[in-house]
Amino acid sequence: MTREFGAGAGLQRALQGVSVEIRRGEVVLVEGPSGSGKSTLLAILGGLDRGFTGEVRLFGEDPRALSDAALSRLRGERVGFVFQSFHLLGHLTALDNVLVPSLFARGGGRLDAARAREALAAVGLADRAGAFPHELSGGQRQRVAIARALSREPSLLLCDEPTGNLDSATGEEIIDLFAGSLAGGARALVIVTHERRLERIATRSLTLRDGRLTGDSQSAGDAP
Amino acid sequence: MSPRALAALVGRDVARTRGALASAGAGIVVGTAALVFFLALGLGARRVLLSEVFPLDVIELEPPRTSAGLLALLGGEAPIDGVLPAVATELGATPGAREVFGKLRFRFPSSARGGKELLGRELISHEMVGDGVDPALIEPELRERFQDPLARPGEPCVEDAACGRDEYCERASGSAGGRCSAPVPGLVSRKLVEVFDHAVAPQHGLPPVAGTLLARAEGVPFELSLGSSMLGVARLGAPRRARIRVVGVSGKAIDLGVTLPLAVVQRWNREYGGEAAATRWSSVVVRVASPADTAAVLAAGSRHGLVPADTRARDVSVLVSGVLALLFLVASVVLGMAALNIGHTFRALVADRRHEIGLYRAVGASAGDIRAWLLALAVTVGLLGGGAGVALAWVATRLADARARTDLPDFPYKPESFFELPAWLVALGVGYAVLFAVLGGLLPALRAARTDPAHLLGGGAR
């Protein structure tokens, strides 16, 4: 896949001829310096960006061939996102933040409060369901964000610098959470990071430089 | 997105952004209040003017007025002009015409005296005009009392003394005998009574008559001199007296004079003006299904050389419609400015919530969901602002009516309420508010739906 922004003299190639396949059960680290195309790759893998050239299959579907509604539904049901800045909604409690994806879910994909509480309990925040984001620590906020991402049991979890805004100890806790979130190999994790610590759960590492895939290696992480 | 989820999103927005939304909706409140208040005032004015003062569903057509009519009244040899019954029948077949009634003016001179029971002193009118109308044209509550008394003739007589109390001998000039008759029922114009009660009576220290006329079911007696007046005597017949009894006030009565049952005037016109004076209608009254049908009836009348007897209804209707349109335009301008304000607020809101919108997109919201969310928020602002505007307008109408009752002097046709606030106007006010709120929120909603959620990645920037 190739992704370009701008035109003419301002043309910027964020990705150039990158070819990659992510399989279930993999924990893939995407590394590279700033501006190497990591976030662009994540956006394309998550169906957020359809402006690429080349061929992309997301769960067997061509994102460009899907309507916006169909792609949004696919994203809501099968893809989870964890962001560096958490992106929790400040006016909602932790519980309501976990319930946000269900606002846009169709049919049986809606989440009830009981399941949202279970998701919070799974990240160790059972007793903080009623807390607002400003009442939580950075680590707790990221845990709420992970509970939100995992609440609908996605097949693909995309994480963008998930420990980037956390101290070392909290970062370790988050990494442990990821290690425990692989759903017995039914889920794939793609983690964009600069953190070497995450290598302990990774099964594969991709390296990007100037939009090109310069490294793709298997590693022996703790993950199954 | 389900309606429940949409309601939850909008409910949260209203709660957390109430200050900005209230500020954005303030213009909608003012605009809607102005719209509803002005239109309610216009409708109130239209109701009074076009249903009581100048009814618009009734058209009176007559031949063009000439000096020949005066000549005929005075017994000259001028031909009797008028509308042939066949023409009236033809007018009744015009699309939109519901009913047609012939009307006959007095075609003889007459004068009147009476009214002592009503006014405390006798009034004399040296010149009395009057007309006859079909009782079917009169308001239903008056119809029963408004019948030709000779429809049930009394005993034969030659003078009043031979008749019972309250009766008189109705004996046509030249005939050997007549029949005892109850006084002929008469109606006076609502306009005349309104002007008398609110303008003439206060100036001359006389009591208002409307209440008395309505209260006294047995009527107020007058004596009519037939065939002679200050202007002269009739060409045919001999002057004599008849009794009339004013039994009510009607919007269908002649403006200045007295209106009697058609059969009575036909009889008297025949006696004093000949056969043509009794069979050619002075004018015809056409009742139309709706004011929109008047044009066709006027055109049909024009083909027979007939002109409307009174164009004030049309003039007033055009005037009221013009004023209403102007007020509607003013209110629309206010609402348009409110829509711009809402657009500004929503643009700021969308910019402020770029991350939130991106997050919604990332977790499964489609562009349509984002559009629906923001448009539903705009609809909510419109509904709340419109509802508040209608409530404000209603309060303003009550206050204005209360002030008018105490502060405005009595005047003809002064209504109980100057306003009319039908359900459709409430719906229009709220609907218009929603429309303008949606127009204001539309572009920001479309822009929000195009928000690229990928900006959330890379720590907020690509």
Side-chain angles (χ1 to χ4, degrees), chain B residues 439-457:
Chain B
L439 285 176
L442 186 60
L443 282 179
L446 295 176
R447 184 177 297 175
R450 289 196 301 268
T451 298
D452 177 9
H455 75 270
L456 298 180
L457 300 169

Side-chain angles (χ1 to χ4, degrees), chain B residues 227-311:
Chain B
S228 72
S229 74
M230 188 180 71
L231 293 174
V233 296
R235 180 169 56 93
L236 302 174
R240 64 182 177 92
R241 294 184 187 283
R243 287 189 199 166
I244 62 171
R245 189 180 291 280
V246 177
V247 296
V249 178
S250 170
K252 305 295 188 303
I254 190 169
D255 281 355
L256 198 61
V258 63
T259 291
L260 307 178
L262 183 65
V264 175
V265 178
Q266 263 185 313
R267 204 160 51 232
W268 291 349
N269 273 358
R270 186 175 287 114
E271 182 181 345
Y272 292 102
E275 189 61 24
T279 52
R280 288 193 163 209
W281 307 126
S282 314
S283 62
V284 286
V285 175
V286 184
R287 185 176 277 156
V288 290
S290 87
D293 296 319
T294 52
V297 173
L298 289 174
S302 176
R303 284 197 291 276
H304 294 286
L306 303 178
V307 296
D310 187 352
T311 60

Side-chain angles (χ1 to χ4, degrees), chain B residues 84-98:
Chain B
L84 291 169
V87 171
T89 306
E90 205 173 308
L91 286 173
T94 308
R98 273 173 45 197

Side-chain angles (χ1 to χ4, degrees), chain B residues 98-422:
Chain B
R98 273 173 45 197
E99 295 169 291
V100 178
F101 302 95
K103 214 170 175 181
L104 271 182
R105 293 201 190 92
F106 286 4
R107 283 174 165 144
F108 53 88
S110 69
S111 58
R113 62 188 304 152
K116 188 173 182 181
E117 294 180 23
L118 183 65
L119 301 167
R121 66 181 188 230
E122 193 138 280
L123 287 185
I124 298 173
S125 169
H126 296 293
E127 191 58 48
M128 187 71 185
V129 293
D131 66 4
V133 299
D134 191 324
L137 182 65
I138 299 303
E139 292 86 342
E141 64 272 18
L142 292 171
R143 211 170 285 159
E144 198 178 328
R145 301 204 300 273
F146 188 71
Q147 300 292 336
D148 176 8
L150 289 191
R152 285 186 296 179
E155 295 297 319
C157 60
V158 290
E159 56 184 12
D160 293 351
C163 299
R165 187 169 169 267
D166 288 337
E167 287 186 330
Y168 78 103
C169 188
E170 168 68 13
R171 181 183 168 197
S173 45
S175 66
R179 288 282 187 169
C180 289
S181 168
V184 176
L187 298 173
V188 291
S189 157
R190 188 178 303 282
K191 286 180 197 139
L192 177 65
V193 171
E194 285 283 334
V195 171
F196 182 88
D197 281 358
H198 298 102
V200 178
Q203 290 294 322
H204 295 275
L206 295 169
V209 301
T212 312
L213 283 175
L214 294 176
R216 294 188 51 156
E218 73 274 19
V220 178
F222 278 83
E223 193 174 80
L224 203 61
S225 292
L226 307 179
S228 72
S229 74
M230 188 180 71
L231 293 174
V233 296
R235 180 169 56 93
L236 302 174
R240 64 182 177 92
R241 294 184 187 283
R243 287 189 199 166
I244 62 171
R245 189 180 291 280
V246 177
V247 296
V249 178
S250 170
K252 305 295 188 303
I254 190 169
D255 281 355
L256 198 61
V258 63
T259 291
L260 307 178
L262 183 65
V264 175
V265 178
Q266 263 185 313
R267 204 160 51 232
W268 291 349
N269 273 358
R270 186 175 287 114
E271 182 181 345
Y272 292 102
E275 189 61 24
T279 52
R280 288 193 163 209
W281 307 126
S282 314
S283 62
V284 286
V285 175
V286 184
R287 185 176 277 156
V288 290
S290 87
D293 296 319
T294 52
V297 173
L298 289 174
S302 176
R303 284 197 291 276
H304 294 286
L306 303 178
V307 296
D310 187 352
T311 60
R312 287 175 298 179
R314 277 191 303 162
D315 298 343
V316 167
S317 174
V318 169
L319 182 67
V320 170
S321 297
V323 171
L324 278 179
L326 188 65
L327 295 176
F328 193 82
L329 187 67
V330 169
S332 297
V333 169
V334 175
L335 281 170
M337 292 171 69
L340 289 176
N341 189 29
I342 284 181
H344 178 71
T345 303
F346 271 56
R347 271 197 303 279
L349 189 142
V350 167
D352 193 43
R353 298 191 184 174
R354 190 162 164 260
H355 288 331
E356 182 178 338
I357 294 165
L359 174 73
Y360 289 159
R361 294 284 277 141
V363 300
S366 66
D369 289 335
I370 301 298
R371 269 196 304 273
W373 164 40
L374 288 166
L375 288 178
L377 187 59
V379 167
T380 305
V381 170
L383 281 174
L384 294 176
V390 169
L392 184 63
W394 183 81
V395 170
T397 61
R398 299 297 92 185
L399 288 175
D401 273 341
R403 289 295 300 269
R405 266 193 293 277
T406 55
D407 294 2
L408 284 183
D410 228 8
F411 57 83
Y413 292 98
K414 183 181 177 184
E416 272 296 302
S417 172
F418 285 81
F419 301 91
E420 189 165 309
L421 193 57

